[in-house]
Structures are given as structure tokens and as C-alpha cells.
Amino acid sequence: AIYAQNQWSRYSLNYLYAVDSESSKKSIKVADSISYSEYGVLTGFGFSATFCIAGLFAGRAADVASRTFIIFLGVCIWNCALLLMAYTHNFGQVLALRLLLGIGQALSNPASYSLIADIFPEAQRAKASGLFAAGVYVGGGLASVCIAMAQSMGWRGTCVLIATIGFILGGFEYFLVKEPQRGNFEKNKQPKLEDNSIEDSKRKKVHLSFSASLYAIFTNR
């Protein structure tokens, strides 16, 4: 659910900009005087610049710090950025908040996949990862609803509503999901000594048979 809201927040601007209205209440393009080229910056470099850089640090943080807290921190950062976007009045302000949103969203993925590896056993891990990844499409689908939301409650109200949902989900995650022990399932794996002994015995037999064959060939026996 958090990853779906992550993508909803990310792609909301794409649809809010597409609102066909001359009203500053319904259209962020009109209210903040955002040109088409500026829109390209906001949805491209204006997000990915900090997202890519912050992702490097997020991966390292997920290895050494509490992953549930990292996700919660990311949720708070990106939804604060989205909430503040509801009060912007120009391109520069929106750009600064999009860059902040990129930092917050970069914190989510590394910690989430690390948690999945320690919460779910190996047999269920692929399914859990698939469900998590589906958040991209669920969130993208929800983002398309932003056009209708902006038409009814305004684009500023839409930003506030999406951010509020994000804060609620973040609170649930932080208080209900316990930090699991790292390598929880890997540590429980015991080496199969009996199977290893059988394999070693088979290798030795093959080796002896091969050696005996060579000896018979070169000694004509």
C-alpha cells in the first residue's frame, strides 16, 4: 500500500498538469504559471536528480539502520513535499519540492526489499516481491484519478488528500511492522552434512574409475 501511494504521489503531477481548465483552482499549470518545458524538467531531471543520488545512500542505510524507520522517514519526507506543493505559486517552488519528494521516495525501495527478504521465507519471497512491485501500476492507476479529483476539489485539495493518506499509511507501517532480525531465514539454514558426504563419495568413485581406466589403457591390461 505504501509503495502504491509512493507512485501515486510521484505521478500525480503528470495528471494535475493535464487538467484542461483555465481556473487556477483546478489547474496547477495556470495557478503556478508552469510552461510545457518547465513541466518536462519537473517530471524528469527535477525528480530523478535527487532520487538517483539519494538511492545510493538509501541502500547503505538499509544495511545498517532500522529499515522500518527508514521507510517511515521516507514516507514523511515525500508526503511533506506533496503537502507543501499545495501551497506553491511558481515553478521554482514546485521544483524544490519535487527534488525533496525524490529524496523521500528513494528511501523506500532498498529498505522494503531488504525487509521482504527477512519477513518472508524463501518459498514465499518471489510472491511477496511481485505484490510489492505491483504497487507501481496500482499507484499509476490511482494517479490518473487526479484529473477528476482536481475538477471536483481543486488541485491543491488533491495534493493535501494524497499526502494525508500517505501519512496515515506511514503511521500504520511504523507502529505495526516490527523490525525483523537480519538474515533471519539464512541463519536457520543448516548444512546437509549427510548429502555432502554422499556427493563426496560419488566424486571419489568417479575419480577412481577414471584412474583405473587410464591405467588399463596404458598398461594394456
Side-chain angles (χ1 to χ4, degrees):
I2 286 180
Y3 193 42
Q5 197 275 336
N6 175 307
Q7 298 300 296
W8 189 7
S9 302
R10 176 179 179 178
Y11 292 109
S12 59
L13 178 64
N14 299 56
Y15 292 95
L16 291 176
Y17 186 84
V19 173
D20 186 16
S21 175
E22 295 300 321
S23 170
S24 60
K25 177 183 177 181
K26 298 180 180 180
S27 172
I28 187 175
K29 175 170 59 177
V30 175
D32 288 0
S33 302
I34 299 174
S35 67
Y36 192 68
S37 60
E38 290 173 336
Y39 165 73
V41 173
L42 292 173
T43 56
F45 179 78
F47 172 86
S48 61
T50 52
F51 181 83
C52 294
I53 296 173
L56 301 176
F57 296 96
R60 176 55 181 163
D63 287 334
V64 299
S66 169
R67 293 158 292 181
T68 54
F69 178 74
I70 291 172
I71 295 172
F72 176 70
L73 179 63
V75 170
C76 290
I77 292 174
W78 87 61
N79 284 294
C80 278
L82 186 62
L83 180 65
L84 292 174
M85 198 179 298
Y87 302 95
T88 58
H89 297 282
N90 56 61
F91 164 74
Q93 293 172 346
V94 178
L95 176 60
L97 292 172
R98 285 287 292 181
L99 291 170
L100 180 62
L101 185 140
I103 294 174
Q105 296 200 341
L107 297 176
S108 174
N109 280 19
S112 296
Y113 280 113
S114 180
L115 274 180
I116 289 172
D118 287 335
I119 292 176
F120 295 93
E122 188 174 354
Q124 300 176 12
R125 209 168 291 161
K127 180 180 179 180
S129 297
L131 289 173
F132 175 79
V136 173
Y137 307 101
V138 175
L142 288 171
S144 66
V145 183
C146 287
I147 295 178
M149 293 172 66
Q151 293 284 3
S152 61
M153 67 176 66
W155 70 270
R156 298 182 190 275
T158 300
C159 290
V160 171
L161 178 59
I162 298 172
T164 301
I165 294 173
F167 286 128
I168 294 172
L169 291 175
F172 280 134
E173 181 273 335
Y174 185 70
F175 291 107
L176 298 181
V177 179
K178 296 181 178 180
E179 179 75 14
Q181 183 180 4
R182 293 182 184 275
N184 187 32
F185 293 100
E186 300 301 324
K187 292 179 180 179
N188 291 332
K189 288 184 178 180
Q190 298 294 332
K192 298 181 179 180
L193 298 178
E194 183 178 347
D195 292 346
N196 291 339
S197 299
I198 294 174
E199 290 298 323
D200 290 341
S201 177
K202 289 181 179 179
R203 291 193 191 98
K204 288 179 180 179
K205 288 181 180 179
V206 171
H207 179 71
L208 290 173
S209 298
F210 181 71
S211 300
S213 300
L214 289 177
Y215 178 77
I217 291 171
F218 288 105
T219 58
N220 295 320
R221 294 181 182 180

